[in-house]
Amino acid sequence: MTRLVSGSATDVGLVRANNQDQLLVTDDDLFAVADGMGGHAAGEVASLTAVEALAKAFQAATDREPGSLLAAAREANRAVWERAGQNPAFYGMGTTLVAMARVHSHLVGAAAAKDATGSATLAGNPGSRSEGVDKLAVVHVGDSRVYRFRDGQLQQLTVDHSVVQELIDDGQIDEQEAAIHPRRHVLTRALGVDPDVDVDLIEVDPVVGDRFLLCSDGLCREVSDEHLASLLGQTAHPFELADRLVTAAKEHGGSDNITVVVVDVVDTDVTAEATGSQSDGADGDIDLPDPAPLLLGTGQNEEPDTVQLPKLTGPPAPTPGANAAARRPKRARLVTPRVIGFLLLLVLVVGVAVAGIGWYARGSYFVGLRADRLTIFKGRPGGVLWFEPTVARRTTVTTSDVLSSRLQALRAGQPEPSVRAAEAYIHNLTAEATTARRVDNPSYQPLSSRGKTALGAPGRAGSQSAPLR
Ligand code: MN
Protein backbone atom coordinates (compact mmCIF):
# COMPACT_ATOMS: atom_id res chain seq x y z
CA MET A 1 0.00 0.00 0.00
CA THR A 2 1.18 3.48 -0.65
CA ARG A 3 1.41 6.68 1.27
CA LEU A 4 2.25 10.21 0.22
CA VAL A 5 5.00 12.22 1.88
CA SER A 6 5.30 15.85 0.94
CA GLY A 7 7.42 18.93 1.38
CA SER A 8 6.77 22.46 0.21
CA ALA A 9 8.26 25.90 0.01
CA THR A 10 7.31 29.31 -1.30
CA ASP A 11 9.49 32.34 -1.79
CA VAL A 12 8.92 35.88 -3.03
CA GLY A 13 11.99 35.59 -5.27
CA LEU A 14 14.55 38.30 -5.87
CA VAL A 15 12.63 40.83 -7.93
CA ARG A 16 8.98 40.95 -6.90
CA ALA A 17 7.86 43.05 -3.93
CA ASN A 18 5.26 40.57 -2.70
CA ASN A 19 4.41 36.91 -2.97
CA GLN A 20 1.18 36.30 -4.87
CA ASP A 21 1.68 32.54 -4.92
CA GLN A 22 -0.13 30.30 -2.50
CA LEU A 23 0.39 26.66 -1.63
CA LEU A 24 -1.84 24.11 -0.02
CA VAL A 25 -0.91 20.88 1.75
CA THR A 26 -3.61 19.12 3.76
CA ASP A 27 -3.36 16.06 5.98
CA ASP A 28 -5.71 14.16 3.69
CA ASP A 29 -3.46 14.32 0.64
CA LEU A 30 -4.70 17.37 -1.20
CA PHE A 31 -1.91 19.50 -2.65
CA ALA A 32 -2.16 22.70 -4.63
CA VAL A 33 -0.23 25.66 -5.98
CA ALA A 34 -1.92 28.88 -7.11
CA ASP A 35 -0.18 31.82 -8.75
CA GLY A 36 -2.30 34.93 -8.37
CA MET A 37 -2.37 37.97 -10.60
CA GLY A 38 -3.84 41.41 -10.14
CA GLY A 39 -2.80 44.83 -8.95
CA HIS A 40 -1.78 45.64 -5.39
CA ALA A 41 -2.94 42.87 -3.08
CA ALA A 42 -5.46 41.39 -5.53
CA GLY A 43 -3.14 38.61 -6.71
CA GLU A 44 -2.63 37.39 -3.17
CA VAL A 45 -6.37 37.52 -2.52
CA ALA A 46 -7.08 35.54 -5.71
CA SER A 47 -4.62 32.73 -4.99
CA LEU A 48 -5.60 32.46 -1.32
CA THR A 49 -9.32 32.50 -2.13
CA ALA A 50 -8.77 29.75 -4.72
CA VAL A 51 -6.89 27.31 -2.47
CA GLU A 52 -9.23 27.90 0.45
CA ALA A 53 -12.32 27.31 -1.67
CA LEU A 54 -10.68 24.26 -3.28
CA ALA A 55 -9.89 22.70 0.10
CA LYS A 56 -13.32 23.47 1.49
CA ALA A 57 -15.16 22.02 -1.50
CA PHE A 58 -12.96 18.94 -1.77
CA GLN A 59 -13.16 18.17 1.93
CA ALA A 60 -16.94 18.54 1.83
CA ALA A 61 -17.26 16.10 -1.08
CA THR A 62 -19.07 12.91 -0.13
CA ASP A 63 -16.75 10.72 -2.15
CA ARG A 64 -13.22 11.30 -3.29
CA GLU A 65 -13.39 10.73 -7.00
CA PRO A 66 -11.50 12.48 -9.77
CA GLY A 67 -14.74 14.35 -10.45
CA SER A 68 -14.77 15.66 -6.87
CA LEU A 69 -11.45 17.41 -7.44
CA LEU A 70 -12.71 18.78 -10.74
CA ALA A 71 -15.84 20.12 -9.02
CA ALA A 72 -13.71 21.63 -6.24
CA ALA A 73 -11.58 23.45 -8.82
CA ARG A 74 -14.73 24.88 -10.43
CA GLU A 75 -15.88 25.91 -6.96
CA ALA A 76 -12.55 27.67 -6.45
CA ASN A 77 -13.06 29.50 -9.75
CA ARG A 78 -16.47 30.70 -8.69
CA ALA A 79 -15.16 31.85 -5.31
CA VAL A 80 -12.44 33.98 -6.92
CA TRP A 81 -14.86 35.34 -9.52
CA GLU A 82 -17.40 36.32 -6.85
CA ARG A 83 -14.73 37.92 -4.68
CA ALA A 84 -13.48 39.92 -7.67
CA GLY A 85 -16.97 41.29 -8.15
CA GLN A 86 -17.31 42.40 -4.53
CA ASN A 87 -14.54 44.97 -4.48
CA PRO A 88 -13.39 47.34 -7.23
CA ALA A 89 -9.79 46.86 -6.03
CA PHE A 90 -10.08 43.18 -6.97
CA TYR A 91 -11.53 43.79 -10.42
CA GLY A 92 -9.80 41.63 -13.02
CA MET A 93 -7.87 39.52 -10.53
CA GLY A 94 -7.29 35.88 -11.30
CA THR A 95 -5.07 32.95 -10.47
CA THR A 96 -3.63 29.78 -11.86
CA LEU A 97 -4.33 26.53 -10.05
CA VAL A 98 -2.74 23.13 -10.06
CA ALA A 99 -4.00 20.58 -7.56
CA MET A 100 -3.33 16.93 -6.93
CA ALA A 101 -5.28 14.68 -4.62
CA ARG A 102 -5.54 11.06 -3.66
CA VAL A 103 -8.85 9.79 -5.00
CA HIS A 104 -10.67 6.50 -5.48
CA SER A 105 -10.89 5.63 -9.09
CA HIS A 106 -14.20 4.69 -10.59
CA LEU A 107 -14.04 0.95 -10.96
CA VAL A 108 -16.03 -0.50 -13.80
CA GLY A 109 -16.06 -3.89 -15.48
CA ALA A 110 -12.68 -5.57 -15.77
CA ALA A 111 -10.94 -2.99 -13.66
CA ALA A 112 -13.33 -3.64 -10.78
CA ALA A 113 -12.88 -7.38 -11.11
CA LYS A 114 -9.13 -6.98 -11.05
CA ASP A 115 -9.39 -4.87 -7.94
CA ALA A 116 -11.29 -7.55 -6.05
CA THR A 117 -8.17 -9.71 -6.03
CA GLY A 118 -5.65 -6.98 -6.66
CA SER A 119 -5.54 -5.45 -3.19
CA ALA A 120 -4.37 -8.62 -1.47
CA THR A 121 -1.57 -9.30 -3.92
CA LEU A 122 -0.52 -5.70 -3.74
CA ALA A 123 0.05 -5.78 0.00
CA GLY A 124 2.54 -8.60 -0.40
CA ASN A 125 4.23 -6.96 -3.32
CA PRO A 126 4.73 -3.34 -2.36
CA GLY A 127 7.03 -2.42 -5.20
CA SER A 128 4.55 -3.29 -7.88
CA ARG A 129 2.28 -1.01 -9.84
CA SER A 130 -0.58 0.00 -7.63
CA GLU A 131 -3.46 -1.08 -9.83
CA GLY A 132 -6.78 -1.21 -8.08
CA VAL A 133 -5.75 1.11 -5.25
CA ASP A 134 -6.13 4.84 -4.93
CA LYS A 135 -5.33 6.99 -7.88
CA LEU A 136 -4.08 10.51 -8.01
CA ALA A 137 -6.16 13.14 -9.73
CA VAL A 138 -4.56 16.28 -11.10
CA VAL A 139 -6.51 19.37 -12.13
CA HIS A 140 -5.06 22.47 -13.66
CA VAL A 141 -5.81 25.88 -15.10
CA GLY A 142 -3.12 28.30 -16.25
CA ASP A 143 0.64 27.92 -16.42
CA SER A 144 1.48 26.38 -13.06
CA ARG A 145 2.62 22.81 -13.62
CA VAL A 146 2.69 19.27 -12.34
CA TYR A 147 5.66 17.05 -13.17
CA ARG A 148 6.20 13.38 -12.46
CA PHE A 149 9.69 12.07 -11.84
CA ARG A 150 9.78 8.30 -12.33
CA ASP A 151 12.74 6.01 -12.99
CA GLY A 152 15.04 8.97 -13.52
CA GLN A 153 12.75 10.50 -16.14
CA LEU A 154 11.00 13.83 -15.75
CA GLN A 155 7.61 14.15 -17.39
CA GLN A 156 5.45 17.26 -17.46
CA LEU A 157 1.89 16.06 -16.88
CA THR A 158 0.12 19.37 -17.44
CA VAL A 159 0.05 21.46 -20.60
CA ASP A 160 0.18 25.21 -19.97
CA HIS A 161 -2.87 27.28 -20.81
CA SER A 162 -0.80 30.09 -22.24
CA VAL A 163 -0.36 31.98 -25.48
CA VAL A 164 3.18 30.70 -25.99
CA GLN A 165 2.05 27.09 -25.44
CA GLU A 166 -0.51 27.56 -28.22
CA LEU A 167 2.21 28.96 -30.47
CA ILE A 168 4.41 25.96 -29.64
CA ASP A 169 1.56 23.53 -30.34
CA ASP A 170 0.99 25.37 -33.60
CA GLY A 171 4.63 24.91 -34.56
CA GLN A 172 5.19 28.66 -34.76
CA ILE A 173 7.85 28.86 -32.04
CA ASP A 174 9.99 26.41 -30.06
CA GLU A 175 10.65 26.17 -26.31
CA GLN A 176 13.67 28.49 -26.51
CA GLU A 177 11.70 31.18 -28.31
CA ALA A 178 8.82 30.73 -25.87
CA ALA A 179 11.13 31.50 -22.94
CA ILE A 180 11.82 35.00 -24.26
CA HIS A 181 8.54 35.65 -26.08
CA PRO A 182 7.03 39.03 -25.15
CA ARG A 183 3.68 37.40 -24.43
CA ARG A 184 5.10 34.53 -22.36
CA HIS A 185 3.14 35.64 -19.28
CA VAL A 186 -0.21 35.80 -21.04
CA LEU A 187 -2.58 33.02 -20.03
CA THR A 188 -5.38 31.63 -22.15
CA ARG A 189 -7.18 30.31 -19.08
CA ALA A 190 -7.23 31.45 -15.45
CA LEU A 191 -9.40 31.04 -12.40
CA GLY A 192 -11.69 33.92 -11.44
CA VAL A 193 -12.01 35.61 -14.82
CA ASP A 194 -15.39 34.10 -15.74
CA PRO A 195 -18.13 32.50 -13.64
CA ASP A 196 -17.21 29.14 -15.17
CA VAL A 197 -13.91 27.78 -16.38
CA ASP A 198 -12.62 24.81 -18.33
CA VAL A 199 -10.55 22.68 -15.96
CA ASP A 200 -8.20 19.98 -17.25
CA LEU A 201 -8.33 16.71 -15.33
CA ILE A 202 -5.61 14.08 -15.46
CA GLU A 203 -5.72 10.73 -13.68
CA VAL A 204 -2.46 9.17 -12.61
CA ASP A 205 -1.68 5.71 -11.24
CA PRO A 206 0.90 6.29 -8.54
CA VAL A 207 3.79 3.89 -8.23
CA VAL A 208 6.03 3.56 -5.20
CA GLY A 209 9.08 5.66 -5.96
CA ASP A 210 7.20 8.26 -7.98
CA ARG A 211 8.00 11.83 -7.09
CA PHE A 212 5.55 14.55 -8.09
CA LEU A 213 6.30 18.23 -8.33
CA LEU A 214 3.68 20.98 -8.32
CA CYS A 215 5.13 24.39 -9.06
CA SER A 216 4.44 27.94 -10.14
CA ASP A 217 6.11 29.34 -13.24
CA GLY A 218 8.67 31.06 -11.01
CA LEU A 219 10.41 27.69 -10.79
CA CYS A 220 10.08 26.20 -14.26
CA ARG A 221 10.81 29.46 -16.06
CA GLU A 222 14.16 29.75 -14.26
CA VAL A 223 15.26 26.14 -14.02
CA SER A 224 15.64 23.94 -17.11
CA ASP A 225 14.00 20.51 -17.31
CA GLU A 226 17.43 18.86 -17.17
CA HIS A 227 18.32 20.75 -14.02
CA LEU A 228 14.91 19.96 -12.50
CA ALA A 229 15.44 16.29 -13.24
CA SER A 230 18.88 16.28 -11.63
CA LEU A 231 17.50 17.98 -8.50
CA LEU A 232 14.51 15.64 -8.27
CA GLY A 233 16.88 12.68 -8.66
CA GLN A 234 18.67 13.60 -5.45
CA THR A 235 18.17 11.50 -2.37
CA ALA A 236 16.47 13.80 0.08
CA HIS A 237 13.28 14.36 2.00
CA PRO A 238 10.70 16.31 -0.02
CA PHE A 239 11.18 19.28 2.34
CA GLU A 240 14.86 19.42 1.66
CA LEU A 241 14.15 19.12 -2.05
CA ALA A 242 11.56 21.90 -1.95
CA ASP A 243 14.18 24.21 -0.45
CA ARG A 244 16.77 23.16 -3.02
CA LEU A 245 14.35 23.83 -5.87
CA VAL A 246 13.59 27.32 -4.56
CA THR A 247 17.30 28.00 -4.13
CA ALA A 248 17.97 26.88 -7.70
CA ALA A 249 15.27 29.21 -9.06
CA LYS A 250 16.81 32.11 -7.12
CA GLU A 251 20.28 31.27 -8.37
CA HIS A 252 18.93 31.55 -11.91
CA GLY A 253 17.45 34.98 -11.32
CA GLY A 254 14.39 34.49 -9.11
CA SER A 255 12.47 36.95 -11.27
CA ASP A 256 9.08 35.72 -10.05
CA ASN A 257 7.54 34.22 -6.93
CA ILE A 258 8.60 30.60 -6.54
CA THR A 259 6.34 27.94 -5.07
CA VAL A 260 6.92 24.20 -5.02
CA VAL A 261 5.23 21.16 -3.52
CA VAL A 262 7.11 17.87 -3.75
CA VAL A 263 5.12 14.68 -3.16
CA ASP A 264 6.75 11.28 -2.84
CA VAL A 265 4.84 8.03 -3.22
CA VAL A 266 6.28 5.73 -0.57
CA ASP A 267 5.58 2.30 0.75
CA THR A 268 3.42 2.29 3.87
CA ASP A 269 5.47 -0.47 5.54
CA VAL A 270 8.72 1.36 5.01
CA THR A 271 7.25 4.59 6.30
CA ALA A 272 6.05 2.88 9.48
CA GLU A 273 9.60 1.69 10.03
CA ALA A 274 10.95 5.18 9.48
CA THR A 275 8.46 6.60 11.96
CA GLY A 276 9.41 3.97 14.52
CA SER A 277 13.09 4.79 14.28
CA GLN A 278 12.24 8.37 15.10
CA SER A 279 10.74 7.85 18.51
CA ASP A 280 13.94 6.74 20.23
CA GLY A 281 16.28 9.05 22.14
CA ALA A 282 14.84 12.43 21.27
CA ASP A 283 17.62 14.64 22.65
CA GLY A 284 15.79 17.94 22.61
CA ASP A 285 14.02 17.21 19.38
CA ILE A 286 10.33 17.79 19.08
CA ASP A 287 8.46 14.77 17.84
CA LEU A 288 7.28 15.39 14.35
CA PRO A 289 3.55 15.03 13.92
CA ASP A 290 2.26 12.35 11.64
CA PRO A 291 0.37 12.52 9.39
CA ALA A 292 1.21 15.93 8.02
CA PRO A 293 -0.76 18.75 9.62
CA LEU A 294 -2.83 21.11 7.57
CA LEU A 295 -0.63 23.89 6.28
CA LEU A 296 -3.47 25.94 4.95
CA GLY A 297 -6.88 25.56 3.52
CA THR A 298 -9.73 24.79 5.90
CA GLY A 299 -10.56 28.44 6.21
CA GLN A 300 -8.94 28.89 9.62
CA ASN A 301 -6.17 30.69 7.86
CA GLU A 302 -7.60 33.98 6.72
CA GLU A 303 -4.37 35.86 6.09
CA PRO A 304 -2.09 35.25 3.11
CA ASP A 305 0.40 32.95 4.68
CA THR A 306 3.92 33.46 3.52
CA VAL A 307 5.44 32.26 6.76
CA GLN A 308 6.20 28.63 6.16
CA LEU A 309 5.70 25.91 8.71
CA PRO A 310 6.57 22.98 6.47
CA LYS A 311 9.46 21.68 8.53
CA LEU A 312 7.03 20.47 11.15
CA THR A 313 5.48 18.08 8.69
CA GLY A 314 6.05 14.39 8.34
CA PRO A 315 8.84 11.95 8.95
CA PRO A 316 11.76 11.67 6.57
CA ALA A 317 10.83 9.73 3.46
CA PRO A 318 12.69 6.69 2.37
CA THR A 319 14.55 7.09 -0.87
CA PRO A 320 12.07 6.57 -3.67
CA GLY A 321 12.99 3.68 -5.89
CA ALA A 322 15.89 2.60 -3.71
CA ASN A 323 16.00 -0.28 -1.31
CA ALA A 324 14.77 1.78 1.59
CA ALA A 325 14.63 -1.10 4.05
CA ALA A 326 18.36 -1.67 3.65
CA ARG A 327 19.30 1.71 5.01
CA ARG A 328 18.13 3.56 8.05
CA PRO A 329 16.42 6.76 7.00
CA LYS A 330 18.16 9.95 8.04
CA ARG A 331 16.62 11.47 11.13
CA ALA A 332 14.90 14.77 10.70
CA ARG A 333 16.50 17.08 13.26
CA LEU A 334 14.47 20.00 12.07
CA VAL A 335 13.22 21.63 15.25
CA THR A 336 15.99 21.97 17.81
CA PRO A 337 16.31 24.49 20.68
CA ARG A 338 18.84 26.35 18.56
CA VAL A 339 16.37 26.63 15.70
CA ILE A 340 13.65 27.83 18.07
CA GLY A 341 16.05 30.40 19.55
CA PHE A 342 16.99 31.59 16.10
CA LEU A 343 13.34 31.89 15.08
CA LEU A 344 12.53 33.89 18.21
CA LEU A 345 15.44 36.23 17.49
CA LEU A 346 14.29 36.54 13.90
CA VAL A 347 10.75 37.40 15.01
CA LEU A 348 12.17 40.02 17.39
CA VAL A 349 14.36 41.61 14.73
CA VAL A 350 11.57 41.65 12.17
CA GLY A 351 9.17 43.04 14.79
CA VAL A 352 11.52 45.90 15.66
CA ALA A 353 12.09 46.67 11.98
CA VAL A 354 8.36 46.68 11.21
CA ALA A 355 7.66 48.88 14.25
CA GLY A 356 10.40 51.27 13.12
CA ILE A 357 9.06 51.51 9.59
CA GLY A 358 5.54 51.91 10.96
CA TRP A 359 6.69 54.71 13.26
CA TYR A 360 8.38 56.46 10.34
CA ALA A 361 5.47 55.84 7.99
CA ARG A 362 2.65 56.73 10.35
CA GLY A 363 4.35 59.09 12.79
CA SER A 364 3.63 62.28 10.91
CA TYR A 365 0.96 64.19 9.04
CA PHE A 366 0.68 66.03 5.80
CA VAL A 367 -1.72 68.40 4.16
CA GLY A 368 -2.91 67.21 0.78
CA LEU A 369 -5.88 67.31 -1.52
CA ARG A 370 -8.85 65.01 -1.57
CA ALA A 371 -10.85 65.94 -4.65
CA ASP A 372 -10.60 69.73 -4.36
CA ARG A 373 -10.64 69.88 -0.56
CA LEU A 374 -7.62 70.43 1.64
CA THR A 375 -7.33 67.41 3.88
CA ILE A 376 -5.02 66.47 6.72
CA PHE A 377 -3.63 62.98 6.27
CA LYS A 378 -1.81 60.80 8.76
CA GLY A 379 1.20 59.14 7.17
CA ARG A 380 3.69 60.05 4.46
CA PRO A 381 2.68 61.41 1.06
CA GLY A 382 2.36 58.42 -1.25
CA GLY A 383 2.67 55.98 1.65
CA VAL A 384 5.62 53.90 2.80
CA LEU A 385 5.64 50.20 1.92
CA TRP A 386 2.22 48.90 2.95
CA PHE A 387 1.50 51.87 5.23
CA GLU A 388 -0.98 53.95 3.25
CA PRO A 389 -1.86 57.45 4.47
CA THR A 390 -5.28 57.82 6.07
CA VAL A 391 -7.51 60.86 6.44
CA ALA A 392 -6.93 62.46 9.85
CA ARG A 393 -9.17 65.51 9.41
CA ARG A 394 -11.42 66.82 6.69
CA THR A 395 -11.77 70.55 6.12
CA THR A 396 -14.19 72.76 4.24
CA VAL A 397 -11.32 74.64 2.64
CA THR A 398 -11.16 74.09 -1.11
CA THR A 399 -8.45 74.76 -3.65
CA SER A 400 -10.24 78.01 -4.62
CA ASP A 401 -9.71 79.29 -1.06
CA VAL A 402 -5.92 79.25 -1.40
CA LEU A 403 -3.42 80.82 -3.77
CA SER A 404 -2.90 78.80 -6.92
CA SER A 405 0.84 79.00 -6.33
CA ARG A 406 0.33 76.76 -3.26
CA LEU A 407 -1.45 73.98 -5.14
CA GLN A 408 1.70 72.25 -6.30
CA ALA A 409 2.88 71.80 -2.71
CA LEU A 410 -0.59 70.58 -1.72
CA ARG A 411 -0.73 68.06 -4.53
CA ALA A 412 2.65 66.69 -3.47
CA GLY A 413 1.60 66.75 0.19
CA GLN A 414 2.96 69.28 2.67
CA PRO A 415 4.46 67.39 5.67
CA GLU A 416 3.59 68.67 9.14
CA PRO A 417 4.61 67.21 12.50
CA SER A 418 1.11 67.27 14.03
CA VAL A 419 -2.56 67.81 13.26
CA ARG A 420 -2.28 71.17 14.99
CA ALA A 421 0.62 72.28 12.80
CA ALA A 422 -1.28 71.08 9.74
CA GLU A 423 -4.34 73.11 10.77
CA ALA A 424 -2.13 76.17 11.30
CA TYR A 425 -0.66 75.68 7.85
CA ILE A 426 -4.13 75.54 6.26
CA HIS A 427 -5.22 78.55 8.27
CA ASN A 428 -2.19 80.50 7.03
CA LEU A 429 -2.92 79.47 3.45
CA THR A 430 -6.47 80.81 3.60
CA ALA A 431 -5.31 83.94 5.39
CA GLU A 432 -2.65 84.51 2.76
CA ALA A 433 -5.19 84.12 -0.05
CA THR A 434 -7.71 86.42 1.66
CA THR A 435 -5.07 89.08 2.15
CA ALA A 436 -3.95 88.81 -1.44
CA ARG A 437 -7.51 89.20 -2.71
CA ARG A 438 -8.10 92.23 -0.44
CA VAL A 439 -5.02 93.85 -1.88
CA ASP A 440 -6.14 93.13 -5.45
CA ASN A 441 -9.79 93.93 -4.85
CA PRO A 442 -10.64 95.97 -1.73
CA SER A 443 -14.36 95.07 -2.01
CA TYR A 444 -13.61 91.32 -1.62
CA GLN A 445 -15.26 89.76 1.43
CA PRO A 446 -14.00 86.45 2.73
CA LEU A 447 -16.67 83.77 3.15
CA SER A 448 -15.58 82.81 6.60
CA SER A 449 -14.49 84.79 9.62
CA ARG A 450 -11.43 82.57 9.76
CA GLY A 451 -10.09 84.59 6.87
CA LYS A 452 -8.20 86.99 9.07
CA THR A 453 -4.55 87.15 8.35
CA ALA A 454 -1.92 85.63 10.56
CA LEU A 455 0.79 87.35 8.60
CA GLY A 456 2.36 90.78 8.89
CA ALA A 457 1.76 93.72 6.60
CA PRO A 458 -0.76 93.16 3.78
CA GLY A 459 1.86 94.15 1.23
CA ARG A 460 4.13 91.37 2.35
CA ALA A 461 1.36 88.83 2.46
CA GLY A 462 0.34 89.74 -1.03
CA SER A 463 3.68 88.64 -2.33
CA GLN A 464 3.42 85.07 -3.52
CA SER A 465 6.72 84.14 -1.96
CA ALA A 466 5.64 85.18 1.52
CA PRO A 467 6.76 82.79 4.23
CA LEU A 468 3.88 81.13 6.00
CA ARG A 469 5.06 80.88 9.55
MN1 MN B 1 4.25 33.45 -11.42
Side-chain angles (χ1 to χ4, degrees):
M1 298 299 281
T2 58
R3 181 173 183 282
L4 304 178
V5 175
S6 70
S8 59
T10 183
D11 194 284
V12 69
L14 302 175
V15 174
R16 299 287 172 92
N18 46 5
N19 192 348
Q20 305 196 318
D21 284 359
Q22 192 63 244
L23 67 84
L24 173 80
V25 174
T26 72
D27 56 3
D28 54 354
D29 292 339
L30 172 62
F31 311 94
V33 167
D35 178 352
M37 60 210 80
H40 299 287
E44 278 118 299
V45 172
S47 56
L48 182 65
T49 304
V51 297
E52 283 185 342
L54 177 87
K56 201 172 157 211
F58 188 67
Q59 284 166 349
T62 45
D63 46 3
R64 299 273 163 100
E65 289 177 343
S68 321
L69 187 63
L70 192 70
R74 292 215 179 98
E75 204 61 52
N77 174 71
R78 185 159 279 274
V80 178
W81 184 75
E82 281 175 357
R83 191 112 192 238
Q86 285 164 2
N87 185 334
F90 299 156
Y91 177 76
M93 74 178 181
T95 182
T96 71
L97 178 71
V98 284
M100 184 171 83
R102 182 191 281 265
V103 293
H104 310 295
S105 60
H106 241 341
L107 298 165
V108 282
K114 200 193 273 177
D115 182 58
T117 55
S119 303
T121 28
L122 196 82
N125 186 11
S128 77
R129 301 243 153 184
S130 35
E131 286 165 320
V133 294
D134 291 354
K135 278 179 176 263
L136 293 175
V138 169
V139 290
H140 101 284
V141 173
D143 66 353
S144 297
R145 292 178 178 175
V146 176
Y147 291 88
R148 179 176 61 197
F149 186 73
R150 173 184 285 179
D151 301 331
Q153 299 293 315
L154 184 71
Q155 189 191 355
Q156 186 183 332
L157 299 181
T158 54
V159 178
D160 293 352
H161 301 133
S162 67
V163 168
V164 288
Q165 183 63 49
E166 289 189 349
L167 294 174
I168 291 171
D169 294 345
D170 212 32
Q172 294 188 35
I173 59 171
D174 60 24
E175 301 273 354
Q176 280 72 39
E177 290 166 311
I180 53 165
H181 196 276
R183 299 186 72 200
R184 62 189 177 280
H185 294 288
V186 182
L187 301 183
T188 49
R189 273 192 236 172
L191 244 60
V193 179
D194 285 307
D196 210 355
V197 69
D198 240 348
V199 179
D200 285 358
L201 171 68
I202 304 159
E203 291 180 40
V204 184
D205 287 312
V207 175
V208 170
D210 278 353
R211 175 168 272 174
F212 292 89
L213 167 67
L214 286 72
C215 65
S216 63
D217 63 337
L219 176 73
C220 45
R221 251 186 242 287
E222 306 286 11
V223 182
S224 69
D225 282 3
E226 294 72 33
H227 193 180
L228 272 188
S230 79
L231 286 165
L232 290 172
Q234 292 176 358
T235 302
H237 188 277
F239 278 135
E240 182 55 41
L241 270 173
D243 285 345
R244 287 180 198 171
L245 289 163
V246 166
T247 302
K250 286 163 88 171
E251 283 168 358
H252 285 83
S255 63
D256 193 4
N257 307 145
I258 308 142
T259 300
V260 300
V261 178
V262 179
V263 182
D264 281 357
V265 181
V266 301
D267 201 289
T268 311
D269 301 337
V270 176
T271 312
E273 216 172 87
T275 313
S277 76
Q278 266 214 338
S279 54
D280 59 357
D283 41 13
D285 287 7
I286 290 168
D287 274 342
L288 299 173
D290 184 23
L294 184 69
L295 280 187
L296 185 147
T298 49
Q300 300 123 327
N301 220 343
E302 294 301 331
E303 294 296 319
D305 189 0
T306 50
V307 179
Q308 283 302 294
L309 313 164
K311 304 229 154 170
L312 287 169
T313 312
T319 313
N323 185 1
R327 89 179 73 161
R328 188 186 149 99
K330 248 189 346 186
R331 290 193 42 151
R333 300 169 61 91
L334 298 171
V335 185
T336 64
R338 192 184 290 184
V339 169
I340 291 169
F342 172 75
L343 288 176
L344 286 176
L345 186 68
L346 190 70
V347 166
L348 187 72
V349 168
V350 169
V352 167
V354 167
I357 293 167
W359 177 82
Y360 169 78
R362 299 283 300 158
S364 82
Y365 296 84
F366 68 92
V367 179
L369 295 177
R370 204 160 176 268
D372 65 337
R373 281 182 196 272
L374 275 68
T375 305
I376 300 171
F377 293 91
K378 185 171 170 61
R380 302 264 164 189
V384 174
L385 297 180
W386 59 92
F387 296 99
E388 293 290 327
T390 53
V391 173
R393 194 142 313 171
R394 295 186 173 82
T395 74
T396 55
V397 180
T398 67
T399 49
S400 56
D401 297 330
V402 302
L403 294 180
S404 55
S405 60
R406 299 290 177 195
L407 293 181
Q408 200 183 343
L410 288 170
R411 277 189 207 104
Q414 168 70 33
E416 294 293 339
S418 65
V419 172
R420 210 164 188 185
E423 283 175 336
Y425 174 74
I426 294 174
H427 174 80
N428 286 350
L429 286 182
T430 54
E432 173 191 51
T434 306
T435 309
R437 278 168 187 139
R438 274 211 196 107
V439 170
D440 292 344
N441 174 11
S443 67
Y444 172 80
Q445 290 296 316
L447 286 169
S448 102
S449 59
R450 295 198 301 146
K452 64 181 187 297
T453 180
L455 300 171
R460 197 179 145 223
S463 149
Q464 298 210 336
S465 60
L468 279 167
R469 285 192 296 272

